[in-house]
Amino acid sequence: MSRKVFLVFLAIFFLAAFLRFYNVANIPPGVNRDEASIGYTAYSLLHTGKDEYGRFLPLSFQSFGDWKLPFYIYSVVPMVGVFGLEAFSVRLPSVIFGVSSVALTFILIRALFKNDLLALLTMFFVAISPWHLHLSRVESESNTAVFFIILATILFLTSLKKNQWLIIPSAFFFALTYFTYAGNHIFTTLFVLGLVFIYRNEIKIKRNTIIAVAIFLGMTGLIFYHTLFGANITKLSGISIFGDPSTIHAKIEIPRNEHNNPSYVFAKLIHNRITFSLERIGQNYINSYSPDFLFIKGGDNKAHNISNFGNMYLIEALFLFLGLVYLIAVKKGKEKKLILWWFFIAAIAASITKDAPHTNRMFAIFPALPFVVASGLSWVTGDLLNKNFRKIAVLIICIFFILNFSIYIDRYYIHFPRDEEENWGTGYKKLAAYLSESSNASKKAIISRPNYSPYIYILFYGKFDPVLYQRTAVRYPPTQDQFVHVKAFDRFEFRDIDWGKDTLSKNTILADWTSQVPQSIKASSSKHEIVLSNGESMFTVIETK
């Protein structure tokens, strides 16, 4: 590596680090529900060795019924031990893995294509990517898994040419993704199969290879033993395309009954679970590569996207298209086959879920996605343009990238933390602080909307004693999609508020969303407003005498 390349590498690396570390404790504004759960679970493990259900050092965490995998949670434990139960502690591992992935991207692309410029371009596009930037600033198991995939792939490629023993740590890190993110149970399996097939003639069956296979199968077997026939099935039943029972009725039973004779073979052949699955999964897969998802608005989950901004910059659309054309029709070699395989299998895991396209579940597409963009840009500026227009074209492209990047930075660091506070944990943080005040600490508190998991924010922001919580927690029966909501613990109760009855209770605090509190109650009762930075009231707290 030349000195100039190394200096550019360092500049991009420090840019990536700055963008991800800058004010990460406060942007996003407050922890989201999963961050609160992971943080408090780590806090509970640190102090009791048990999760919130009282299970000792589990490999699968029930949490809200979504059964979280262990690696990220255990990686947060030492952070909580050093920095306390704070947003920074929960996000720090993701920041570290995200920044490290930026650096590893350069190493991977350089190892594959022996092209420093292409490696630097890809690294730069990962560094400034809205998709990668945001998921590196929040707790993200998928971001962590991407780091392990890149690292394992680099080690695998290196083992083919020298240091054959590196296939052992490669297998270890591939297997570690199964302990990190559920989507990788599908992605990593497909990716490793493709990797082995593409490089089948270069893999030497030696002692190290056998050890690597044994490690991979042993580790994946261990996590599947704890999840495959319990947690994974429960999780998939909640998020799959059949997770909502009304779907079967609306999409299969009603259309079948519209036939003159619903029992005919034709009606059953057209309207059944298999045909519906194929149609919906196909739609989800295509939508995962749609302009609307990639460039316009991203996914629907507010924890994974900021409003009115896509997962990529608009300027990247042209180069993404040209990059695919170049890799499919022009570029030769097994390296491009690996990248294309990486690119096109990334959406499969998300496609079988009911809320696809999904920003977090498709994150495995990194760094293949920015590589395709970099390839398109390199092809245009290097081969397609006349030399007389090349400098002008590069200048115009740079201007558009700077414009897109500046707009995103403005929206993300300035407007997002103010305008989207309600979608994050700041309101609950203020509510928890109010409920913890000395004048309120002995009062019973009833908080509405248990399906929003307000309990986990009270636990997280109140740093509630895990032993007391494990002893007093009462839960509702699982919902149809297998989610579990807490009904009560200690002095806190989580349910819909009966304003005619509950206001008659003595020495009680009633907390509800401001829009749900009757005006007559606000006018006649002692109240406290939980106000967000934009001046809007999120919660109204009523105190009974």
Side-chain angles (χ1 to χ4, degrees), residues 131 187 191 285 288-289 294 312 320-321 323-324 327-328 336-348 362 364-373:
W131 201 341
F187 175 81
F191 183 80
Y285 183 84
S288 295
Y289 297 97
L294 292 178
M312 302 175 68
L320 176 62
F321 172 75
L324 287 172
L327 290 173
I328 293 171
K336 73 108 177 211
K337 294 178 182 177
L338 176 62
I339 293 295
L340 289 174
W341 177 250
W342 197 328
F343 184 91
F344 285 112
I345 66 172
I348 294 176
M362 195 176 158
I365 201 169
F366 277 82
L369 177 66
F371 173 79
V372 174
V373 174

Side-chain angles (χ1 to χ4, degrees), residues 38 59-61 66-75 93-94 97 139-149 172-185 188 219-220 223 227 232 235 360 363:
I38 286 175
L59 282 179
S60 184
F61 293 83
D66 55 347
W67 292 97
K68 292 176 172 60
L69 288 166
F71 181 83
Y72 196 92
I73 292 174
Y74 283 110
S75 73
S94 188
F97 287 123
E139 163 279 317
S140 178
E141 298 143 304
S142 61
N143 174 47
T144 306
V146 163
F147 168 82
F148 289 135
I149 287 288
F172 172 80
F173 287 117
F174 274 129
L176 201 55
T177 66
Y178 290 79
F179 291 75
T180 304
Y181 186 59
N184 281 80
H185 290 187
T188 302
M219 290 179 64
T220 56
I223 194 63
T227 64
N232 278 5
K235 183 181 182 76
N360 198 40
F363 194 60

Side-chain angles (χ1 to χ4, degrees), residues 32-42 50-55 58-70 73 139 141 231 234-235 450 453 455-456 459 469 473 475-476 478 482-486:
N32 62 41
R33 182 166 66 171
D34 283 327
E35 289 180 313
S37 174
I38 286 175
Y40 187 75
T41 300
K50 299 177 182 179
D51 69 356
E52 63 176 277
Y53 289 82
R55 299 187 181 105
L59 282 179
S60 184
F61 293 83
Q62 188 171 358
S63 186
F64 309 119
D66 55 347
W67 292 97
K68 292 176 172 60
L69 288 166
I73 292 174
E139 163 279 317
E141 298 143 304
T234 302
K235 183 181 182 76
S453 303
Y455 85 96
I456 198 64
L459 293 174
Y469 173 73
R475 297 176 176 85
Y476 290 99
Q482 300 304 310
F483 274 80
V484 179
H485 303 301
V486 169

Side-chain angles (χ1 to χ4, degrees), residues 150-406:
I150 300 173
L151 178 58
T153 305
I154 293 171
L155 293 171
F156 173 83
L157 295 172
T158 306
S159 75
L160 299 178
K161 299 175 182 179
K162 56 182 179 179
N163 299 324
Q164 202 261 343
W165 65 271
L166 288 175
I167 198 169
I168 295 175
S170 172
F172 172 80
F173 287 117
F174 274 129
L176 201 55
T177 66
Y178 290 79
F179 291 75
T180 304
Y181 186 59
N184 281 80
H185 290 187
I186 294 175
F187 175 81
T188 302
T189 302
L190 294 174
F191 183 80
V192 169
L193 289 174
L195 188 67
V196 170
F197 179 78
I198 292 170
Y199 290 92
R200 62 192 181 279
N201 294 328
E202 299 176 42
I203 298 175
K204 299 173 183 177
I205 307 301
K206 293 186 175 181
R207 181 170 175 270
N208 287 331
T209 307
I210 296 172
I211 294 173
V213 172
I215 289 174
F216 182 83
L217 294 178
M219 290 179 64
T220 56
L222 175 63
I223 194 63
F224 281 144
Y225 174 78
H226 286 273
T227 64
L228 187 60
F229 300 108
N232 278 5
I233 292 175
T234 302
K235 183 181 182 76
L236 188 58
S237 69
I239 66 173
S240 75
I241 56 177
F242 295 110
D244 184 356
S246 65
T247 298
I248 298 174
H249 180 68
K251 300 298 183 180
I252 299 176
E253 294 175 353
I254 291 179
R256 183 187 293 176
N257 288 328
E258 289 176 351
H259 287 254
N260 291 331
N261 191 336
S263 63
Y264 274 4
V265 174
F266 181 75
K268 293 181 178 180
L269 185 64
I270 297 299
H271 305 292
N272 58 68
R273 283 175 174 261
I274 295 176
T275 55
F276 171 74
S277 297
L278 292 174
E279 179 184 16
R280 178 58 58 87
I281 291 172
Q283 291 172 344
N284 289 345
Y285 183 84
I286 292 171
N287 287 336
S288 295
Y289 297 97
S290 68
D292 189 56
F293 175 70
L294 292 178
F295 305 106
I296 307 302
K297 71 178 187 68
D300 294 327
N301 191 315
K302 297 295 186 181
H304 304 143
N305 293 90
I306 67 172
S307 296
N308 302 314
F309 209 99
N311 286 312
M312 302 175 68
Y313 299 112
L314 283 172
I315 184 63
E316 293 181 289
L318 172 63
F319 303 111
L320 176 62
F321 172 75
L322 291 174
L324 287 172
V325 171
Y326 173 71
L327 290 173
I328 293 171
V330 179
K331 183 69 175 176
K332 306 296 182 184
K334 62 173 68 71
E335 296 80 12
K336 73 108 177 211
K337 294 178 182 177
L338 176 62
I339 293 295
L340 289 174
W341 177 250
W342 197 328
F343 184 91
F344 285 112
I345 66 172
I348 294 176
S351 298
I352 66 174
T353 63
K354 62 186 179 183
D355 48 0
H358 196 281
T359 297
N360 198 40
R361 294 177 194 143
M362 195 176 158
F363 194 60
I365 201 169
F366 277 82
L369 177 66
F371 173 79
V372 174
V373 174
S375 297
L377 178 59
S378 179
W379 189 36
V380 169
T381 56
D383 297 330
L384 296 185
L385 288 178
N386 185 288
K387 290 183 179 180
N388 297 326
F389 298 103
R390 192 169 297 166
K391 290 183 179 181
I392 297 176
V394 169
L395 177 61
I396 293 173
I397 291 168
C398 288
I399 291 173
F400 275 103
F401 263 109
I402 292 171
L403 179 62
N404 275 215
F405 178 66
S406 299

Side-chain angles (χ1 to χ4, degrees), residues 415-430:
H415 302 290
F416 161 60
R418 176 182 172 85
D419 297 342
E420 299 188 43
E421 242 182 349
E422 185 176 326
N423 300 321
W424 293 80
T426 299
Y428 283 109
K429 182 178 182 179
K430 294 180 177 180

Side-chain angles (χ1 to χ4, degrees), residues 455-471:
Y455 85 96
I456 198 64
Y457 295 101
I458 302 300
L459 293 174
F460 181 90
Y461 286 119
K463 299 176 175 59
F464 195 83
D465 179 7
V467 174
L468 180 58
Y469 173 73
Q470 292 166 19
R471 189 169 65 242

